[in-house]
Structure formats: structure tokens, C-alpha cells
Amino acid sequence: MGVYMQPTKKNGKLIIKMTEFSGFYKLSVEERIARIKEYAQLSEAELIVLKNTGALKLDVANRMAENVISATHLPLGLGTNFKINGKEYVVPMAVEESSVIAAASHGAKLSLPLGFEAHADEPIMIGQVQIVGLKNAGDVAVKLESKKTEIEKIARELTKNMEMRGGGFRRFYTRAIKTERGEMLIAYFEIDVRDSMGANTINTMLEGIAPSLREYAEEGQIRLRIVSNFADKRKARARAIWKKETIGEEAIEGILDAYTFAKTDIYRATTHNKGIMNGIDALAIATGNDWRAIEAGAHAYALRSGKYQPLTHYEKNKEGNLVGMIELPIALGIVGGSINSNSIAKIALKILNVKNATELAMVAVCIGLANNFAALKALSTEGIQKGHMKLHARNLAVIVGASTDKEIDEIALALERRGTYTADCARDILKEIRLDRFFL
Ligand code: HMG
């Protein structure tokens, strides 16, 4: 089966290395599950959850959202070949689009043997309280400043659970603004939320402290008390070098041209960043995180200079190799939110084997960089359709009604040979296959 290697044994103990995931995609689903069971030491109960693609039970789904009538499903795959700060990762990715997981694995493979270097900030989230109806917001800012010690004491008290985990209150400040609806004061709280995404902690704290802010302000009305998804205190960044001997000079020039295009054109920059978010969202969804928050923060960060820009940066180093870099806010948690009630997310985190949310953020940016690199390499050389559509061919076969693995394989192969990846073409091929079989 494929190029799959047997895991090695040392002193009777199973050692599974990242390189042993080479050709993982050539295995059957059963063989992949068996492999990941060994790799992540999954229990029989966890295997049952993995094999049950309708794993989200109705009563659990009903507790997660409103007006629930069912659950929708996404494939969960594994991004392979990720080496980050010297540690090897197999990365769970939930995504409906073909070729995203292949592209991430491909980009990561080409970065080896060095892999990625990554770093993430402390998990500090920002919360905002809006006070409206002020005669002079600047005066109120001064009043709140004079009560800073009291305000910080209350904020600490309200986040003492986080403090016990090593996080908690970090900073309080205000900003007075003049608007068409009068003067407003915005109070900012920075809270270290440790391994959580942080929205619940922040929102609870803000609602708790708001009455005291109103009391110290002596005027106005409290309006919004909410976390900011522009988590710019919680950024992660990564870097990788793709050697010219590995990817070729033509690919390097192509990627640099593609990157320059994205820097100068918002239509291209948006698609460039979509390609980055392909991987980051897939990881966020697999781990039960709020991917809309990540998306919102990413695009705001892309626009921070006032001009929408790519979230990655590419340059050639003096050896002529390609250096790729990425930086964006990443508010991902490994505890809290819906993670506790999402059994697949728990297994995904076990497979990922990250110690904390900061490490998860580092993995996220590496996936984003790998996806972006692979997409730009394909786009600027052979074109995206060749690899993407090759993988999409099997989807097309299923869409037009192929019902056995044999039919699906035959249609995918015939589409590839004809070089036309359309549903009409797949339908014609299916008819031909069935007709041939009929006359056999
Ligand atoms: P290839 O050169 O045929 O791959 O690329 P390969 O056969 O040499 O294999 C290399 C590695 O890729 C493998 O290593 C796998 O890790 C992985 P191995 O396991 O053999 O040691 N790989 C696969 N993994 C899973 N399933 C597979 C598979 N094939 C290879 N079937 C590939 C083929 C599709 C990877 C390449 O053409 C590629 O990276 N294309 C880019 C595809 C892409 O970016 N898709 C995203 C969707 S398009 C989009 O939404 C974004 C976009 O608009 C963004 C933008 O505009 O910037 C494009």
C-alpha cells in the first residue's frame, strides 16, 4: 500500500516519526485510522467517535446552538510533514474543499528538513466597555484614571480564576472619542486568558466591572461590554526557508511575482489571504474553535496600515533561497468554549499534542504559511487547476452518482486523462462505464 513505512520499535516501544506519514494519503481510511491510533495512542472509544461521522449527537448539538434540527458534517483530515521549532506535528484539519490538506502537507514537506520557526505572544485578549452620553469624555477619562487602582483591583478580582492559572488582568486604559452621536469614552481591559480563546472570560469580566466604571464616571450610560476580535496583542508568527535546490528558481521567481501582485492589488490580496485562511480555519474548526473570530482578526490585521495587504511576506535570501514569513492575530483555545462538548475537537487536540494555546497558535500560522506557499507555487507555475482539480475529480464522480470505489477511481482517472474537470464530463464518463459493463 503506497510508500507507507512500518513504524520502528525501540526497546519494544513504538516510535512513529513524521516521515512515516509520507504517502499517508495513499492508505485506505481504515489504515489511516489504524496509523493515527498508534501515533496518538487513541483509545477504542476515541476510534468509535472517529469512525462515526455523525458523531455529534442531537442532544449535544441542541446544547451548542439554537433551533437545532440536525448537524452538518465536514471531512476531518490530517496535514502531514509539519516540523515546527524542531517538533513534529500531525495537524487535524476540517475542511470541505479538496486539495487544501494536500497543499498544506506539500508546502510543509518542501520546507524540510528545517521546517518552520514560529513564535507566539502571550495570550492577551482585549475587552471594551463603551460609555456614551458624556459632556466631556476627556474629563471622564481623567476621573477613571484617578480611580485606576480601584478599577484594577476589581478587574483582578473578576479574573482571579485566570490569575490562579498564571494569567489574569494585565492593563487598563481609556480612549475618548468624538462621534456624530456625541462624546464617548471607551475603557480597554487587557486580560491574559491562558489556554482559552478568552471571549467568555472577557465578556463576564466586562459586565461585572461596568457598573463600577459608571459609578466612577459619575455620568453617562454604559452601552457595549464585549471582547475585541482584533486580538493584536495575541499574534503569532512563523518563518520557513524553501531551498532553490528543492523547489527550483522558477518557482521562487513565480512566488515573488505573485506576492508583489498581492501587495499592490486588493483583489489579489484578498484571494491570497483566503488561501492562508484555508488552513488556519481548517485547524480552528477541527479543534472546536471560533473561526469567525480568527477570520475577523486576520482581515483587520491585513488592513492595519490603512491598505489591505497580504498576511505573508516573501523574499529571496543571499543564497537565493525563498524565505516566507507570516504574522497575524491568533485567538485559539485548547479549553473552554464548545471544545468541552465536542468529542472530535478533543481527539484532534490529542493528535496535535500541543501543550498550550500559544503552541496551537504557532501551529496555526505555520499551516497558513504552508497553504499560501503551496497555492502560490502552483498558481505561478503549472496553474492551480492541475493539482486542485485532480483531487476534486473524485468529488465530481460522487456528485454525478458514481456509487462504488471502482466507478469513482475510473471516473477520476478518465477526467485526468481528458483534462476536463466538469460535472458534465464526469456524467458522460459514468454513462460510458455503465454501458460498457452492461454489454460485458
Ligand atoms: P504534487 O506535486 O503532485 O504532490 O502536488 P506530490 O505527489 O509530489 O506529493 C508531495 C506531498 O504533497 C505529499 O508528500 C503529500 O504530503 C502531499 P508524501 O506524502 O508523498 O511524502 N500530497 C497529498 N496529500 C494528501 N492527498 C493527496 C496528496 N497529493 C500530494 N492527494 C498538490 C499536488 C495538490 C499538493 C499541489 O499541486 C498543490 O499544492 N497545489 C495547490 C492546491 C491548493 O492550494 N489548493 C487550495 C484550494 S485553491 C484555493 O482556495 C486557494 C487559492 O485561491 C489561493 C490563492 O489564490 O492564493 C489558490
Side-chain angles (χ1 to χ4, degrees):
M1 217 351 127
V3 292
Y4 186 60
M5 289 161 63
Q6 284 304 309
T8 43
K9 275 195 174 173
K10 201 174 165 191
N11 303 330
K13 244 183 111 185
L14 208 55
I15 312 284
I16 301 170
K17 294 203 203 76
M18 185 177 69
T19 44
E20 287 158 4
F21 277 88
S22 180
F24 188 66
Y25 63 97
K26 295 177 184 162
L27 303 178
S28 68
V29 176
E30 286 298 329
E31 286 169 316
R32 285 187 209 131
I33 293 178
R35 164 78 344 180
I36 201 65
K37 175 182 189 284
E38 289 168 17
Y39 174 85
Q41 301 290 301
L42 300 182
S43 67
E44 288 303 323
E46 285 168 329
L47 287 203
I48 292 170
V49 175
L50 279 188
K51 286 179 188 169
N52 177 8
T53 52
L56 186 59
K57 299 230 164 35
L58 255 189
D59 60 333
V60 178
N62 195 32
R63 286 195 293 274
M64 291 168 81
E66 301 74 42
N67 298 347
V68 167
I69 57 160
S70 185
T72 184
H73 308 289
L74 282 177
L76 178 74
L78 297 175
T80 56
N81 308 319
F82 279 86
K83 185 167 163 192
I84 303 169
N85 297 335
K87 177 173 166 183
E88 297 182 351
Y89 295 86
V90 174
V91 186
M93 300 172 77
V95 62
E96 86 298 344
E97 189 177 9
S98 43
S99 87
V100 169
I101 299 172
S105 308
H106 189 208
K109 182 172 181 172
L110 293 175
S111 75
L112 294 174
L114 286 177
F116 299 83
E117 270 172 41
H119 175 266
D121 298 334
E122 291 299 305
I124 292 173
M125 296 293 285
I126 298 167
Q128 298 177 298
V129 179
Q130 179 194 29
I131 313 174
V132 301
L134 304 174
K135 281 186 228 63
N136 186 325
D139 287 349
V140 177
V142 173
K143 277 189 213 163
L144 293 193
E145 186 61 31
S146 72
K147 294 285 181 188
K148 206 170 179 169
T149 313
E150 289 86 335
I151 292 169
E152 292 186 358
K153 192 164 168 253
I154 302 168
R156 277 208 174 82
E157 180 58 28
L158 287 167
T159 51
K160 64 172 185 290
N161 286 349
M162 270 309 158
E163 201 164 305
M164 275 166 0
R165 298 182 187 105
F169 171 80
R170 291 290 179 266
R171 200 173 155 218
F172 162 73
Y173 51 97
T174 60
R175 190 167 74 94
I177 49 176
K178 288 196 167 100
T179 77
E180 70 272 22
R181 288 184 57 81
E183 299 205 10
M184 301 179 186
L185 188 76
I186 313 301
Y188 290 75
F189 291 87
E190 292 182 5
I191 311 289
D192 183 327
V193 296
R194 292 288 92 195
D195 287 331
S196 67
M197 183 273 182
N200 285 338
T201 303
I202 300 267
N203 294 343
T204 308
M205 181 259 150
L206 296 176
E207 292 193 5
I209 206 163
S212 306
L213 293 180
R214 170 63 186 80
E215 188 191 322
Y216 298 142
E218 295 171 343
E219 61 172 301
Q221 190 180 354
I222 300 286
R223 290 279 194 214
L224 273 57
R225 292 141 287 168
I226 190 75
V227 69
S228 169
N229 290 127
F230 187 47
D232 68 340
K233 294 280 176 291
R234 195 180 184 178
K235 296 190 291 295
R237 52 202 70 80
R239 182 176 181 275
I241 297 176
W242 284 279
K243 296 231 165 103
K244 63 173 188 274
E245 295 78 20
T246 313
I247 63 169
E249 290 184 28
E250 184 54 24
I252 293 181
E253 296 307 322
I255 291 169
L256 290 172
D257 285 339
Y259 166 60
T260 308
F261 180 13
K263 278 200 298 181
T264 53
D265 181 300
I266 188 167
Y267 291 94
R268 178 55 213 152
T270 306
T271 321
H272 179 107
N273 288 342
K274 184 270 180 188
I276 294 171
M277 301 314 290
N278 269 342
I280 297 180
D281 285 349
L283 173 65
I285 296 169
T287 53
N289 273 284
D290 179 349
W291 71 96
R292 286 91 51 216
I294 297 284
E295 280 281 342
H299 297 293
Y301 196 65
L303 196 58
R304 68 195 180 284
S305 67
K307 183 178 175 205
Y308 189 85
Q309 286 288 288
L311 291 162
T312 48
H313 169 92
Y314 291 94
E315 62 191 37
K316 218 171 7 177
N317 67 12
K318 59 180 187 316
E319 289 82 31
N321 299 322
L322 183 73
V323 184
M325 287 168 251
I326 184 167
E327 182 181 81
L328 67 148
I330 298 282
L332 290 176
I334 59 166
V335 292
S338 68
I339 298 168
N340 297 342
S341 51
N342 183 337
S343 44
I344 289 289
K346 283 196 231 160
I347 297 175
L349 284 165
K350 186 169 175 183
I351 292 172
L352 198 52
N353 187 27
V354 289
K355 283 190 294 301
N356 49 43
T358 312
E359 193 179 343
L360 179 59
M362 290 192 249
V363 175
V365 285
C366 293
I367 290 266
L369 181 56
N371 264 115
N372 180 237
F373 163 83
L376 296 190
K377 180 173 176 294
L379 282 167
S380 61
T381 54
E382 63 187 20
I384 199 76
Q385 292 304 75
K386 189 165 173 254
H388 178 70
M389 293 314 282
K390 199 169 99 182
L391 298 180
H392 187 52
R394 297 173 65 80
N395 270 346
L396 285 175
V398 175
I399 289 167
V400 300
S403 52
T404 62
D405 282 349
K406 191 164 183 305
E407 278 183 350
I408 296 169
D409 285 345
E410 281 180 45
I411 295 175
L413 193 66
L415 286 170
E416 195 182 335
R417 285 206 184 114
R418 293 184 195 186
T420 312
Y421 294 97
T422 63
D424 283 346
C425 189
R427 199 169 291 114
D428 290 346
I429 297 166
L430 180 62
K431 267 190 217 150
E432 287 162 25
I433 293 172
R434 288 187 176 167
L435 208 61
D436 281 355
R437 230 163 257 149
F438 182 75
F439 285 113
L440 273 181

